[in-house]
Amino acid sequence: MVEQPAYPRQGEYTYEDYRQLAAEPGYRFEILHGYLVKEPSPSVFHQRVLRELALQLLSFFADFDPAGELFFAPLDLTLTRSNVLQPDILFISSKRREIILQERIDGPCDSVVKILSPTTQSRDRLHKKEIYRQAGIPHYWIVDPEVYTLEAFVLK
């Protein structure tokens, strides 16, 4: 009989626990305030929106901050031991390059973009928005491809 690993209780997950999770095809994981969240992989429509937005942002940042970097999910963004997210797009300015590690981004980046999916809307609008605010991320964009909107939030 194969012994199953003991996982922490919801609310107690850390980045170290996250790294021990077995991959599940068709899903991605995040930790929000210690709670493990399992989300289905994005749809083709979602990926098309991501591609078009990424092209626009790559062009903009090439002029605005050529030494900055734009990254795309799946890539872990660790904001605390109990907050590990995978934003659809994130930008790291040339001034914050030290947070770019080999296996993840470790610390608040400059901008985060989340493309909504029908199953993640409330989590993205409430929980993730608050996590990004608490981490001090200056810009959080929420793209709703169903209604063709982009909401831009600026930390003040």
Side-chain angles (χ1 to χ4, degrees):
M1 186 166 154
V2 177
E3 186 175 318
Q4 296 293 325
Y7 291 112
R9 291 191 322 241
Q10 283 289 46
E12 297 178 357
Y13 274 85
T14 65
Y15 178 67
E16 292 77 22
D17 301 319
Y18 173 85
R19 289 182 46 90
Q20 302 301 315
L21 293 172
E24 287 188 47
Y27 293 94
R28 63 183 186 181
F29 296 92
E30 294 180 309
I31 300 176
L32 309 177
H33 293 299
Y35 286 85
L36 182 66
V37 176
K38 178 179 172 182
E39 296 180 352
S41 293
S43 69
V44 170
F45 180 55
H46 179 282
Q47 292 299 88
R48 286 178 177 144
V49 171
L50 172 66
R51 178 188 63 219
E52 296 306 315
L53 185 55
L55 289 171
Q56 295 294 317
L57 290 172
L58 284 166
S59 176
F60 171 79
F61 285 121
D63 292 332
F64 178 74
D65 187 354
E69 287 196 68
L70 204 62
F71 293 97
F72 313 97
L75 177 63
D76 295 338
L77 171 63
T78 51
L79 297 173
T80 66
R81 287 186 70 230
S82 60
N83 284 310
V84 183
L85 297 97
Q86 289 193 9
D88 293 304
I89 301 174
L90 60 96
F91 175 72
I92 299 167
S93 70
S94 55
K95 295 176 184 148
R96 293 189 188 199
R97 294 184 58 79
E98 72 278 356
I99 68 172
I100 302 172
L101 305 180
Q102 186 66 30
E103 69 282 353
R104 71 184 193 276
I105 306 302
D106 189 35
C109 52
D110 295 271
S111 298
V112 168
V113 178
K114 180 61 185 157
I115 300 168
L116 296 179
S117 299
T119 59
T120 66
Q121 286 196 29
S122 63
R123 189 175 351 185
D124 295 333
R125 289 184 181 283
L126 301 172
H127 302 293
K128 290 182 185 180
K129 182 179 170 187
E130 181 60 16
I131 289 170
Y132 293 138
R133 186 194 66 76
Q134 288 177 356
I137 294 176
H139 301 276
Y140 179 45
W141 289 6
I142 297 176
V143 177
D144 189 338
E146 297 295 326
V147 294
Y148 302 98
T149 61
L150 184 150
E151 297 172 78
F153 298 93
V154 178
L155 186 64
K156 292 192 178 210

